[in-house]
Amino acid sequence: MVLSLTVAGCGSGDGRGTAAPGTATTPAAPPEASATTPAPEAPPSPSPTRTYPLSTAPRTIPAVRDHEPARGPGWRPRGGSAVVVAKGSGALADEARLLAGELGAAYRGEAAARPGDVELALNTGQAGGPESYTLTTRGGRVRISAPDQAGAFYGTRTVKQALRSGGVVPEGVVRDRPAKPQRGLNVDIARKHFSAAWLEDRLREMADLKLNQLGLHFSDDQAFRIESASHPEVVSEPHLTKAEIRRVVALANRLHISVIPEIDSPGHLGAVLRAHPRLQLRNVQGTPRQGAIDISDPESARIVDDLLREYAGLFPGPWFHIGADEYQALTVRDPAASYPQLAGAARRKYGEGADVEDLATGWLNDRAAVVRAAGKKAKAWNDGFFPDGAVSAHRGIEVEYWTGKEIGAREPVEYLREGREVVNLNDEYLYYVLGEPNDFTYPTGRRIYQEWTPLVLRGSSAVPERYADRILGGRFAVWCDLAGSQTPAQVASGIRMPLRATAQKLWDPARPRLTWPAFRTLADRLDSGAGRR
């Protein structure tokens, strides 16, 4: 993708000594000297100068957090401009090549920066923390320095957006960093098939918004949507091939986005159970429960663990989501009476005082151990964590808080008081549920932008600020309960502004400087020149 820009000539770094076009004049000639009178010395000609107001911050989504203004013309690409990496910063070659292609500029590799260039530099000792960067514009050049590759990449996103929104990278220094380390989008590709190309378009969109996680919920009651070698019998049509997933993951890696796979269990396993009906959970009357696997049967664990190990190898990122929500055995008045096989298994495994919740917690811990052995950190939904049982959920499992509507709902602060790390997927603001079933309504960007912060984990009330460090971030989530309600293109359009608002509030939860109408106008301007890369 090449930015379409109107390029004006740039003066020197501070503009001094450069005549503004049309302002220079030729001084009048002195009177002719007589033969006997020395000609008077001509007064020095004034040197016209260009003056500049103090710069303002580049207009980007998310907004940069700190900008030190300066006087000067800023930076635009011009004939001969190139992107280079500083000596010893060769690891940034991919980021530099991408920016060069977007700017329509040359890439000169590891070389000294010249006037008109953009330079990328790694500085591992630089203050600011992971994913931070400093962007300095002066002397007709731009320098992006960062302690890691992700930070340098985000600096290039700021350059790209600044040119698109204002035609120039403003003079001065940007110091920028995210408030939260986890920022992303979750997509239910189980209930509705999305193509690899659609997912790649979302990754490109996310990258410019400095989002760094894409969650893929690919197994549910309706379908199992990724090719499997260990259990091909569970795979639905249509589905994504492993080659397509590798392509998606490769693009994500280049854009500094981790793809998080999710196999939800012990509920939401209907697609797996259609191929293995013997493992479906049945109550004392023999009635099956939709999507629920019988966790008292060792064969249930074997099949799920086969799948977890297989996909841990396909997705190289640091996380694996193991679900744990809405297990139907726990939605009845008396689980032990309805499912005596589960109650008996709990007592045998954990002692006479154990119950069905303890057996479910043990299942959660065992699945977390499987992904941990594969080098992954487990995530699970908040309604899979139970208090005061004979068994406690492993402390290393991240709580993904989505709802307070479940039976026995626990307030978010309970998880935080326990010292657990929490990720915000508040269904009041961040759930885009196709067809709007069960009292869901499509979320609006305006409401997220004006009301929500990462502290608002449930409903519209914030938890105390003292817990902020335990809230790792959040993801906006697409759920396809009524899959035919929208086309993939309609989904992409519907989540456009909510995703931008979410990105803003995860990067900086403070009250935004722009009004909502101004933010929306900026988004339109930035998106008007968007292209593929």
Side-chain angles (χ1 to χ4, degrees), residues 304-335:
V304 171
D305 290 350
D306 286 345
L307 294 167
L308 292 174
R309 293 186 184 101
E310 178 179 4
Y311 294 103
L314 183 62
F315 293 91
W319 294 280
F320 204 121
H321 203 306
I322 56 177
D325 64 313
E326 297 182 318
Y327 186 45
Q328 294 299 305
L330 297 172
T331 62
V332 298
R333 184 179 60 82
D334 189 345

PDB file of all heavy atoms in Angstrom, residues 304-335:
ATOM      1  N   VAL A 304      -9.958 -34.148  24.494  1.00  0.00           N
ATOM      2  CA  VAL A 304      -9.730 -32.704  24.602  1.00  0.00           C
ATOM      3  C   VAL A 304      -8.236 -32.400  24.684  1.00  0.00           C
ATOM      4  O   VAL A 304      -7.741 -31.462  24.041  1.00  0.00           O
ATOM      5  CB  VAL A 304     -10.497 -32.120  25.799  1.00  0.00           C
ATOM      6  CG1 VAL A 304     -10.096 -30.669  26.046  1.00  0.00           C
ATOM      7  CG2 VAL A 304     -12.005 -32.219  25.568  1.00  0.00           C
ATOM      8  N   ASP A 305      -7.491 -33.200  25.432  1.00  0.00           N
ATOM      9  CA  ASP A 305      -6.053 -32.951  25.556  1.00  0.00           C
ATOM     10  C   ASP A 305      -5.323 -33.200  24.245  1.00  0.00           C
ATOM     11  O   ASP A 305      -4.350 -32.502  23.916  1.00  0.00           O
ATOM     12  CB  ASP A 305      -5.460 -33.807  26.672  1.00  0.00           C
ATOM     13  CG  ASP A 305      -5.902 -33.355  28.051  1.00  0.00           C
ATOM     14  OD1 ASP A 305      -6.508 -32.275  28.150  1.00  0.00           O
ATOM     15  OD2 ASP A 305      -5.648 -34.089  29.028  1.00  0.00           O
ATOM     16  N   ASP A 306      -5.772 -34.185  23.473  1.00  0.00           N
ATOM     17  CA  ASP A 306      -5.196 -34.388  22.141  1.00  0.00           C
ATOM     18  C   ASP A 306      -5.317 -33.103  21.318  1.00  0.00           C
ATOM     19  O   ASP A 306      -4.366 -32.687  20.644  1.00  0.00           O
ATOM     20  CB  ASP A 306      -5.930 -35.515  21.401  1.00  0.00           C
ATOM     21  CG  ASP A 306      -5.596 -36.908  21.911  1.00  0.00           C
ATOM     22  OD1 ASP A 306      -4.604 -37.057  22.647  1.00  0.00           O
ATOM     23  OD2 ASP A 306      -6.345 -37.846  21.556  1.00  0.00           O
ATOM     24  N   LEU A 307      -6.489 -32.503  21.358  1.00  0.00           N
ATOM     25  CA  LEU A 307      -6.732 -31.287  20.584  1.00  0.00           C
ATOM     26  C   LEU A 307      -5.922 -30.111  21.125  1.00  0.00           C
ATOM     27  O   LEU A 307      -5.351 -29.325  20.347  1.00  0.00           O
ATOM     28  CB  LEU A 307      -8.220 -30.965  20.586  1.00  0.00           C
ATOM     29  CG  LEU A 307      -9.117 -31.976  19.856  1.00  0.00           C
ATOM     30  CD1 LEU A 307     -10.585 -31.734  20.184  1.00  0.00           C
ATOM     31  CD2 LEU A 307      -8.889 -31.922  18.348  1.00  0.00           C
ATOM     32  N   LEU A 308      -5.855 -29.963  22.435  1.00  0.00           N
ATOM     33  CA  LEU A 308      -5.068 -28.879  23.015  1.00  0.00           C
ATOM     34  C   LEU A 308      -3.606 -28.974  22.591  1.00  0.00           C
ATOM     35  O   LEU A 308      -2.981 -27.974  22.200  1.00  0.00           O
ATOM     36  CB  LEU A 308      -5.184 -28.894  24.534  1.00  0.00           C
ATOM     37  CG  LEU A 308      -6.544 -28.546  25.134  1.00  0.00           C
ATOM     38  CD1 LEU A 308      -6.526 -28.765  26.646  1.00  0.00           C
ATOM     39  CD2 LEU A 308      -6.950 -27.116  24.814  1.00  0.00           C
ATOM     40  N   ARG A 309      -3.046 -30.173  22.658  1.00  0.00           N
ATOM     41  CA  ARG A 309      -1.631 -30.342  22.286  1.00  0.00           C
ATOM     42  C   ARG A 309      -1.426 -30.073  20.796  1.00  0.00           C
ATOM     43  O   ARG A 309      -0.429 -29.458  20.399  1.00  0.00           O
ATOM     44  CB  ARG A 309      -1.168 -31.744  22.652  1.00  0.00           C
ATOM     45  CG  ARG A 309      -1.109 -32.017  24.150  1.00  0.00           C
ATOM     46  CD  ARG A 309      -0.500 -33.382  24.450  1.00  0.00           C
ATOM     47  NE  ARG A 309      -0.527 -33.671  25.877  1.00  0.00           N
ATOM     48  CZ  ARG A 309      -1.427 -34.469  26.467  1.00  0.00           C
ATOM     49  NH1 ARG A 309      -2.363 -35.072  25.731  1.00  0.00           N
ATOM     50  NH2 ARG A 309      -1.388 -34.667  27.771  1.00  0.00           N
ATOM     51  N   GLU A 310      -2.353 -30.528  19.982  1.00  0.00           N
ATOM     52  CA  GLU A 310      -2.209 -30.324  18.538  1.00  0.00           C
ATOM     53  C   GLU A 310      -2.190 -28.836  18.193  1.00  0.00           C
ATOM     54  O   GLU A 310      -1.314 -28.376  17.447  1.00  0.00           O
ATOM     55  CB  GLU A 310      -3.359 -31.014  17.799  1.00  0.00           C
ATOM     56  CG  GLU A 310      -3.309 -30.795  16.292  1.00  0.00           C
ATOM     57  CD  GLU A 310      -4.426 -31.506  15.546  1.00  0.00           C
ATOM     58  OE1 GLU A 310      -5.309 -32.121  16.213  1.00  0.00           O
ATOM     59  OE2 GLU A 310      -4.422 -31.446  14.299  1.00  0.00           O
ATOM     60  N   TYR A 311      -3.115 -28.079  18.736  1.00  0.00           N
ATOM     61  CA  TYR A 311      -3.212 -26.668  18.359  1.00  0.00           C
ATOM     62  C   TYR A 311      -2.212 -25.792  19.105  1.00  0.00           C
ATOM     63  O   TYR A 311      -1.892 -24.698  18.631  1.00  0.00           O
ATOM     64  CB  TYR A 311      -4.642 -26.174  18.532  1.00  0.00           C
ATOM     65  CG  TYR A 311      -5.569 -26.865  17.553  1.00  0.00           C
ATOM     66  CD1 TYR A 311      -6.412 -27.884  17.966  1.00  0.00           C
ATOM     67  CD2 TYR A 311      -5.530 -26.537  16.197  1.00  0.00           C
ATOM     68  CE1 TYR A 311      -7.221 -28.551  17.054  1.00  0.00           C
ATOM     69  CE2 TYR A 311      -6.338 -27.198  15.285  1.00  0.00           C
ATOM     70  CZ  TYR A 311      -7.173 -28.207  15.717  1.00  0.00           C
ATOM     71  OH  TYR A 311      -7.964 -28.865  14.808  1.00  0.00           O
ATOM     72  N   ALA A 312      -1.691 -26.267  20.213  1.00  0.00           N
ATOM     73  CA  ALA A 312      -0.600 -25.533  20.859  1.00  0.00           C
ATOM     74  C   ALA A 312       0.596 -25.439  19.919  1.00  0.00           C
ATOM     75  O   ALA A 312       1.332 -24.441  19.930  1.00  0.00           O
ATOM     76  CB  ALA A 312      -0.205 -26.207  22.173  1.00  0.00           C
ATOM     77  N   GLY A 313       0.777 -26.462  19.105  1.00  0.00           N
ATOM     78  CA  GLY A 313       1.868 -26.434  18.135  1.00  0.00           C
ATOM     79  C   GLY A 313       1.574 -25.567  16.929  1.00  0.00           C
ATOM     80  O   GLY A 313       2.501 -25.078  16.273  1.00  0.00           O
ATOM     81  N   LEU A 314       0.303 -25.367  16.615  1.00  0.00           N
ATOM     82  CA  LEU A 314      -0.063 -24.566  15.445  1.00  0.00           C
ATOM     83  C   LEU A 314      -0.003 -23.070  15.736  1.00  0.00           C
ATOM     84  O   LEU A 314       0.286 -22.264  14.847  1.00  0.00           O
ATOM     85  CB  LEU A 314      -1.474 -24.956  14.988  1.00  0.00           C
ATOM     86  CG  LEU A 314      -2.028 -24.286  13.729  1.00  0.00           C
ATOM     87  CD1 LEU A 314      -1.177 -24.628  12.505  1.00  0.00           C
ATOM     88  CD2 LEU A 314      -3.487 -24.704  13.503  1.00  0.00           C
ATOM     89  N   PHE A 315      -0.294 -22.700  16.981  1.00  0.00           N
ATOM     90  CA  PHE A 315      -0.313 -21.291  17.375  1.00  0.00           C
ATOM     91  C   PHE A 315       0.898 -21.010  18.273  1.00  0.00           C
ATOM     92  O   PHE A 315       0.944 -21.472  19.411  1.00  0.00           O
ATOM     93  CB  PHE A 315      -1.607 -20.972  18.123  1.00  0.00           C
ATOM     94  CG  PHE A 315      -2.843 -21.061  17.273  1.00  0.00           C
ATOM     95  CD1 PHE A 315      -3.551 -22.248  17.174  1.00  0.00           C
ATOM     96  CD2 PHE A 315      -3.290 -19.957  16.562  1.00  0.00           C
ATOM     97  CE1 PHE A 315      -4.698 -22.333  16.386  1.00  0.00           C
ATOM     98  CE2 PHE A 315      -4.435 -20.027  15.777  1.00  0.00           C
ATOM     99  CZ  PHE A 315      -5.133 -21.226  15.685  1.00  0.00           C
ATOM    100  N   PRO A 316       1.874 -20.254  17.795  1.00  0.00           N
ATOM    101  CA  PRO A 316       3.120 -20.081  18.553  1.00  0.00           C
ATOM    102  C   PRO A 316       3.066 -19.044  19.669  1.00  0.00           C
ATOM    103  O   PRO A 316       4.044 -18.878  20.389  1.00  0.00           O
ATOM    104  CB  PRO A 316       4.108 -19.637  17.466  1.00  0.00           C
ATOM    105  CG  PRO A 316       3.257 -18.928  16.464  1.00  0.00           C
ATOM    106  CD  PRO A 316       1.939 -19.641  16.449  1.00  0.00           C
ATOM    107  N   GLY A 317       1.961 -18.342  19.838  1.00  0.00           N
ATOM    108  CA  GLY A 317       1.891 -17.290  20.847  1.00  0.00           C
ATOM    109  C   GLY A 317       1.924 -17.834  22.265  1.00  0.00           C
ATOM    110  O   GLY A 317       1.869 -19.043  22.497  1.00  0.00           O
ATOM    111  N   PRO A 318       1.964 -16.944  23.252  1.00  0.00           N
ATOM    112  CA  PRO A 318       2.161 -17.361  24.641  1.00  0.00           C
ATOM    113  C   PRO A 318       0.905 -17.828  25.370  1.00  0.00           C
ATOM    114  O   PRO A 318       1.008 -18.322  26.493  1.00  0.00           O
ATOM    115  CB  PRO A 318       2.719 -16.108  25.317  1.00  0.00           C
ATOM    116  CG  PRO A 318       2.226 -14.967  24.495  1.00  0.00           C
ATOM    117  CD  PRO A 318       2.121 -15.479  23.095  1.00  0.00           C
ATOM    118  N   TRP A 319      -0.298 -17.691  24.762  1.00  0.00           N
ATOM    119  CA  TRP A 319      -1.531 -18.015  25.484  1.00  0.00           C
ATOM    120  C   TRP A 319      -2.335 -19.108  24.783  1.00  0.00           C
ATOM    121  O   TRP A 319      -2.256 -19.276  23.564  1.00  0.00           O
ATOM    122  CB  TRP A 319      -2.439 -16.791  25.601  1.00  0.00           C
ATOM    123  CG  TRP A 319      -1.914 -15.678  26.433  1.00  0.00           C
ATOM    124  CD1 TRP A 319      -1.932 -15.574  27.800  1.00  0.00           C
ATOM    125  CD2 TRP A 319      -1.279 -14.483  25.970  1.00  0.00           C
ATOM    126  NE1 TRP A 319      -1.359 -14.395  28.206  1.00  0.00           N
ATOM    127  CE2 TRP A 319      -0.944 -13.705  27.103  1.00  0.00           C
ATOM    128  CE3 TRP A 319      -0.974 -13.992  24.704  1.00  0.00           C
ATOM    129  CZ2 TRP A 319      -0.324 -12.468  26.993  1.00  0.00           C
ATOM    130  CZ3 TRP A 319      -0.343 -12.764  24.601  1.00  0.00           C
ATOM    131  CH2 TRP A 319      -0.027 -12.011  25.740  1.00  0.00           C
ATOM    132  N   PHE A 320      -3.142 -19.821  25.595  1.00  0.00           N
ATOM    133  CA  PHE A 320      -4.156 -20.738  25.070  1.00  0.00           C
ATOM    134  C   PHE A 320      -5.385 -20.579  25.959  1.00  0.00           C
ATOM    135  O   PHE A 320      -5.290 -20.683  27.182  1.00  0.00           O
ATOM    136  CB  PHE A 320      -3.678 -22.193  25.096  1.00  0.00           C
ATOM    137  CG  PHE A 320      -4.355 -23.088  24.102  1.00  0.00           C
ATOM    138  CD1 PHE A 320      -3.617 -23.771  23.137  1.00  0.00           C
ATOM    139  CD2 PHE A 320      -5.737 -23.273  24.117  1.00  0.00           C
ATOM    140  CE1 PHE A 320      -4.233 -24.600  22.206  1.00  0.00           C
ATOM    141  CE2 PHE A 320      -6.369 -24.093  23.204  1.00  0.00           C
ATOM    142  CZ  PHE A 320      -5.609 -24.764  22.232  1.00  0.00           C
ATOM    143  N   HIS A 321      -6.525 -20.319  25.342  1.00  0.00           N
ATOM    144  CA  HIS A 321      -7.772 -20.142  26.090  1.00  0.00           C
ATOM    145  C   HIS A 321      -8.461 -21.499  26.213  1.00  0.00           C
ATOM    146  O   HIS A 321      -8.717 -22.162  25.210  1.00  0.00           O
ATOM    147  CB  HIS A 321      -8.679 -19.153  25.360  1.00  0.00           C
ATOM    148  CG  HIS A 321      -9.697 -18.493  26.230  1.00  0.00           C
ATOM    149  ND1 HIS A 321     -10.589 -19.202  27.018  1.00  0.00           N
ATOM    150  CD2 HIS A 321      -9.972 -17.180  26.449  1.00  0.00           C
ATOM    151  CE1 HIS A 321     -11.364 -18.348  27.666  1.00  0.00           C
ATOM    152  NE2 HIS A 321     -11.007 -17.115  27.350  1.00  0.00           N
ATOM    153  N   ILE A 322      -8.764 -21.908  27.445  1.00  0.00           N
ATOM    154  CA  ILE A 322      -9.341 -23.233  27.671  1.00  0.00           C
ATOM    155  C   ILE A 322     -10.805 -23.178  28.084  1.00  0.00           C
ATOM    156  O   ILE A 322     -11.383 -24.192  28.490  1.00  0.00           O
ATOM    157  CB  ILE A 322      -8.502 -24.037  28.687  1.00  0.00           C
ATOM    158  CG1 ILE A 322      -8.356 -23.287  30.010  1.00  0.00           C
ATOM    159  CG2 ILE A 322      -7.130 -24.352  28.089  1.00  0.00           C
ATOM    160  CD1 ILE A 322      -7.605 -24.072  31.083  1.00  0.00           C
ATOM    161  N   GLY A 323     -11.433 -21.995  27.980  1.00  0.00           N
ATOM    162  CA  GLY A 323     -12.874 -21.891  28.141  1.00  0.00           C
ATOM    163  C   GLY A 323     -13.351 -21.931  29.572  1.00  0.00           C
ATOM    164  O   GLY A 323     -13.154 -21.013  30.338  1.00  0.00           O
ATOM    165  N   ALA A 324     -14.064 -23.003  29.931  1.00  0.00           N
ATOM    166  CA  ALA A 324     -14.555 -23.296  31.284  1.00  0.00           C
ATOM    167  C   ALA A 324     -15.890 -22.640  31.613  1.00  0.00           C
ATOM    168  O   ALA A 324     -16.382 -22.802  32.730  1.00  0.00           O
ATOM    169  CB  ALA A 324     -13.520 -22.928  32.356  1.00  0.00           C
ATOM    170  N   ASP A 325     -16.515 -21.943  30.671  1.00  0.00           N
ATOM    171  CA  ASP A 325     -17.766 -21.251  30.996  1.00  0.00           C
ATOM    172  C   ASP A 325     -18.986 -22.139  30.732  1.00  0.00           C
ATOM    173  O   ASP A 325     -18.941 -23.069  29.938  1.00  0.00           O
ATOM    174  CB  ASP A 325     -17.897 -19.964  30.174  1.00  0.00           C
ATOM    175  CG  ASP A 325     -18.000 -20.241  28.677  1.00  0.00           C
ATOM    176  OD1 ASP A 325     -17.186 -21.037  28.175  1.00  0.00           O
ATOM    177  OD2 ASP A 325     -18.886 -19.676  28.012  1.00  0.00           O
ATOM    178  N   GLU A 326     -20.066 -21.822  31.404  1.00  0.00           N
ATOM    179  CA  GLU A 326     -21.403 -22.344  31.117  1.00  0.00           C
ATOM    180  C   GLU A 326     -21.454 -23.877  31.027  1.00  0.00           C
ATOM    181  O   GLU A 326     -22.096 -24.436  30.137  1.00  0.00           O
ATOM    182  CB  GLU A 326     -21.942 -21.717  29.819  1.00  0.00           C
ATOM    183  CG  GLU A 326     -22.109 -20.208  29.931  1.00  0.00           C
ATOM    184  CD  GLU A 326     -22.682 -19.569  28.675  1.00  0.00           C
ATOM    185  OE1 GLU A 326     -22.265 -19.967  27.561  1.00  0.00           O
ATOM    186  OE2 GLU A 326     -23.524 -18.673  28.809  1.00  0.00           O
ATOM    187  N   TYR A 327     -20.805 -24.544  31.960  1.00  0.00           N
ATOM    188  CA  TYR A 327     -20.927 -26.008  32.003  1.00  0.00           C
ATOM    189  C   TYR A 327     -22.315 -26.344  32.531  1.00  0.00           C
ATOM    190  O   TYR A 327     -22.667 -25.971  33.659  1.00  0.00           O
ATOM    191  CB  TYR A 327     -19.829 -26.592  32.890  1.00  0.00           C
ATOM    192  CG  TYR A 327     -19.770 -28.107  32.881  1.00  0.00           C
ATOM    193  CD1 TYR A 327     -19.862 -28.822  31.687  1.00  0.00           C
ATOM    194  CD2 TYR A 327     -19.596 -28.817  34.061  1.00  0.00           C
ATOM    195  CE1 TYR A 327     -19.793 -30.209  31.674  1.00  0.00           C
ATOM    196  CE2 TYR A 327     -19.518 -30.207  34.059  1.00  0.00           C
ATOM    197  CZ  TYR A 327     -19.622 -30.890  32.865  1.00  0.00           C
ATOM    198  OH  TYR A 327     -19.555 -32.271  32.850  1.00  0.00           O
ATOM    199  N   GLN A 328     -23.106 -27.021  31.724  1.00  0.00           N
ATOM    200  CA  GLN A 328     -24.531 -27.182  32.012  1.00  0.00           C
ATOM    201  C   GLN A 328     -24.812 -27.994  33.279  1.00  0.00           C
ATOM    202  O   GLN A 328     -25.884 -27.861  33.878  1.00  0.00           O
ATOM    203  CB  GLN A 328     -25.226 -27.823  30.812  1.00  0.00           C
ATOM    204  CG  GLN A 328     -25.236 -26.956  29.572  1.00  0.00           C
ATOM    205  CD  GLN A 328     -25.967 -25.640  29.785  1.00  0.00           C
ATOM    206  OE1 GLN A 328     -27.127 -25.620  30.199  1.00  0.00           O
ATOM    207  NE2 GLN A 328     -25.283 -24.539  29.526  1.00  0.00           N
ATOM    208  N   ALA A 329     -23.878 -28.804  33.707  1.00  0.00           N
ATOM    209  CA  ALA A 329     -24.083 -29.552  34.955  1.00  0.00           C
ATOM    210  C   ALA A 329     -24.210 -28.627  36.153  1.00  0.00           C
ATOM    211  O   ALA A 329     -24.789 -29.006  37.174  1.00  0.00           O
ATOM    212  CB  ALA A 329     -22.927 -30.529  35.174  1.00  0.00           C
ATOM    213  N   LEU A 330     -23.673 -27.414  36.032  1.00  0.00           N
ATOM    214  CA  LEU A 330     -23.675 -26.477  37.153  1.00  0.00           C
ATOM    215  C   LEU A 330     -24.770 -25.427  37.053  1.00  0.00           C
ATOM    216  O   LEU A 330     -24.794 -24.481  37.839  1.00  0.00           O
ATOM    217  CB  LEU A 330     -22.300 -25.807  37.263  1.00  0.00           C
ATOM    218  CG  LEU A 330     -21.144 -26.770  37.562  1.00  0.00           C
ATOM    219  CD1 LEU A 330     -19.805 -26.052  37.450  1.00  0.00           C
ATOM    220  CD2 LEU A 330     -21.309 -27.392  38.940  1.00  0.00           C
ATOM    221  N   THR A 331     -25.682 -25.592  36.111  1.00  0.00           N
ATOM    222  CA  THR A 331     -26.765 -24.630  35.966  1.00  0.00           C
ATOM    223  C   THR A 331     -28.083 -25.156  36.530  1.00  0.00           C
ATOM    224  O   THR A 331     -29.121 -24.506  36.382  1.00  0.00           O
ATOM    225  CB  THR A 331     -26.967 -24.262  34.482  1.00  0.00           C
ATOM    226  OG1 THR A 331     -27.338 -25.439  33.746  1.00  0.00           O
ATOM    227  CG2 THR A 331     -25.695 -23.670  33.891  1.00  0.00           C
ATOM    228  N   VAL A 332     -28.057 -26.331  37.166  1.00  0.00           N
ATOM    229  CA  VAL A 332     -29.265 -26.897  37.776  1.00  0.00           C
ATOM    230  C   VAL A 332     -29.239 -26.650  39.280  1.00  0.00           C
ATOM    231  O   VAL A 332     -28.199 -26.322  39.861  1.00  0.00           O
ATOM    232  CB  VAL A 332     -29.370 -28.411  37.477  1.00  0.00           C
ATOM    233  CG1 VAL A 332     -29.482 -28.642  35.981  1.00  0.00           C
ATOM    234  CG2 VAL A 332     -28.174 -29.164  38.042  1.00  0.00           C
ATOM    235  N   ARG A 333     -30.399 -26.842  39.912  1.00  0.00           N
ATOM    236  CA  ARG A 333     -30.519 -26.533  41.342  1.00  0.00           C
ATOM    237  C   ARG A 333     -29.635 -27.416  42.197  1.00  0.00           C
ATOM    238  O   ARG A 333     -28.999 -26.946  43.140  1.00  0.00           O
ATOM    239  CB  ARG A 333     -31.981 -26.678  41.777  1.00  0.00           C
ATOM    240  CG  ARG A 333     -32.249 -26.299  43.227  1.00  0.00           C
ATOM    241  CD  ARG A 333     -33.715 -26.442  43.558  1.00  0.00           C
ATOM    242  NE  ARG A 333     -34.167 -27.805  43.362  1.00  0.00           N
ATOM    243  CZ  ARG A 333     -33.987 -28.786  44.269  1.00  0.00           C
ATOM    244  NH1 ARG A 333     -33.369 -28.537  45.405  1.00  0.00           N
ATOM    245  NH2 ARG A 333     -34.420 -30.010  44.025  1.00  0.00           N
ATOM    246  N   ASP A 334     -29.566 -28.708  41.879  1.00  0.00           N
ATOM    247  CA  ASP A 334     -28.795 -29.653  42.686  1.00  0.00           C
ATOM    248  C   ASP A 334     -27.937 -30.522  41.769  1.00  0.00           C
ATOM    249  O   ASP A 334     -28.351 -31.604  41.340  1.00  0.00           O
ATOM    250  CB  ASP A 334     -29.739 -30.530  43.515  1.00  0.00           C
ATOM    251  CG  ASP A 334     -28.998 -31.392  44.538  1.00  0.00           C
ATOM    252  OD1 ASP A 334     -27.764 -31.523  44.422  1.00  0.00           O
ATOM    253  OD2 ASP A 334     -29.667 -31.917  45.446  1.00  0.00           O
ATOM    254  N   PRO A 335     -26.733 -30.049  41.425  1.00  0.00           N
ATOM    255  CA  PRO A 335     -25.888 -30.801  40.495  1.00  0.00           C
ATOM    256  C   PRO A 335     -25.601 -32.233  40.950  1.00  0.00           C
ATOM    257  O   PRO A 335     -25.572 -33.147  40.115  1.00  0.00           O
ATOM    258  CB  PRO A 335     -24.603 -29.962  40.432  1.00  0.00           C
ATOM    259  CG  PRO A 335     -25.037 -28.581  40.779  1.00  0.00           C
ATOM    260  CD  PRO A 335     -26.112 -28.755  41.802  1.00  0.00           C
TER     261      PRO A 335
END
